[in-house]
């Protein structure tokens, strides 16, 4: 494997692990991390550039799926803060002294 593709694969591996560590449920988190490590170990001796590219594309799709699974909780938390600020501003208009 060329040095550039090795670096690209390692970056992808780290990104998948980093993103998987964001799962709030312990079982999902440990399962995802274990599956990622097992899959990369299983394919570490692949030499065919076409097969490497196929595996990299599959890993990128899986990274997008992991990211989408984690995205709603961050979106909800961020918007919940904005909603609370907005509701306190709106409530201040209706308080009668």
């Amino acid at each position: 494997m060329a040095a550039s593709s090795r670096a690209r694969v390692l970056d992808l591996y780290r990104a998948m692990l980093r993103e998987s560590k964001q799962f709030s449920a312990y079982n999902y988190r440990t399962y995802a991390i274990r599956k990622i490590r097992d899959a990369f170990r299983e394919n570490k001796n692949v030499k065919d550039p076409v097969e490497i590219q196929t595996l990299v594309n599959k890993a990128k799709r899986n990274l997008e799926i992991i990211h989408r699974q984690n995205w709603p909780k961050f979106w909800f938390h961020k918007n919940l803060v904005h909603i609370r600020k907005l509701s306190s501003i709106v409530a201040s208009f209706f308080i009668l002294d």
Side-chain angles (χ1 to χ4, degrees), residues 62-84:
N62 288 336
L63 177 60
E64 290 173 7
I65 291 169
I66 294 168
H67 183 70
R68 278 196 309 263
Q69 292 297 317
N70 283 327
W71 184 76
K73 72 178 176 190
F74 294 120
W75 181 85
F76 179 74
H77 176 71
K78 182 193 276 186
N79 285 331
L80 185 60
V81 171
H82 292 300
I83 290 170
R84 286 182 180 158

Side-chain angles (χ1 to χ4, degrees), residues 31-62:
Y31 176 77
I33 291 170
R34 186 177 66 244
K35 291 297 282 184
I36 291 165
R37 287 181 177 152
D38 290 347
F40 275 82
R41 278 189 196 122
E42 180 181 321
N43 295 306
K44 74 178 182 179
N45 295 321
V46 174
K47 302 290 184 206
D48 181 26
V50 175
E51 189 174 354
I52 291 171
Q53 188 58 47
T54 303
L55 292 167
V56 166
N57 291 339
K58 182 179 177 183
K60 285 180 181 179
R61 285 193 307 272
N62 288 336

